[in-house]
Amino acid sequence: MLLLVSIMMLVPGIARAGQRVHGVVLAVTPKTGNVIVRHDAFGSMPAMTMEFRIVPRSRALQLQAGATIDADVDTETEPWTLSNVQSTSGQRLTDTAPRRRSQGRPGQRRAQR
């Protein structure tokens, strides 16, 4: 991922500062103010998952995994920075349904423990 960002910084026009990005927050690191976002394509950037810094950092503390966000992206910082972050309520990222135990293949007996 770092290599991709480095290449994009060297090639003009791939992504510029001041564009809007839309995506889903996958993880938040409150200590650094960074978030992992699965974002839609914007500008010349394809849709992907990457790390961003949120400014102000206090805004990152208000986000939760699963939140849908829209934000201004600044690609001239490292990592790229999101500001003016607007979010909607989150969605579950994983299924919380109870797990079933595997019964093995039909006709096969389970080993005694």
Side-chain angles (χ1 to χ4, degrees):
M1 177 169 58
L2 195 55
L3 176 62
L4 177 63
V5 171
S6 299
I7 291 170
M8 289 184 289
M9 292 177 89
L10 295 175
V11 179
I14 286 188
R16 295 183 304 268
Q19 296 188 48
R20 290 291 282 177
V21 64
H22 173 82
V24 175
V25 175
L26 301 180
V28 178
T29 308
K31 184 177 178 182
T32 62
N34 291 359
V35 294
I36 304 294
V37 177
R38 183 179 61 226
H39 65 77
D40 295 341
F42 65 94
S44 298
M45 277 290 292
M48 66 175 68
T49 299
M50 58 188 292
E51 183 175 15
F52 294 93
R53 177 161 292 132
I54 302 285
V55 291
R57 184 182 300 183
S58 60
R59 181 65 177 112
L61 300 175
Q62 299 168 354
L63 296 174
Q64 295 182 4
T68 301
I69 64 167
D70 288 288
D72 294 328
V73 61
D74 182 352
T75 60
E76 295 177 1
T77 59
E78 183 60 39
W80 290 358
T81 304
L82 298 180
S83 59
N84 300 317
V85 178
Q86 298 173 344
S87 64
T88 58
S89 60
Q91 59 190 24
R92 289 187 177 161
L93 297 178
T94 58
D95 182 14
T96 58
R99 304 287 182 224
R100 296 185 323 174
R101 294 184 72 177
S102 173
Q103 300 300 319
R105 288 182 275 181
Q108 182 182 21
R109 295 185 61 167
R110 289 178 50 109
Q112 297 292 327
R113 293 184 192 208

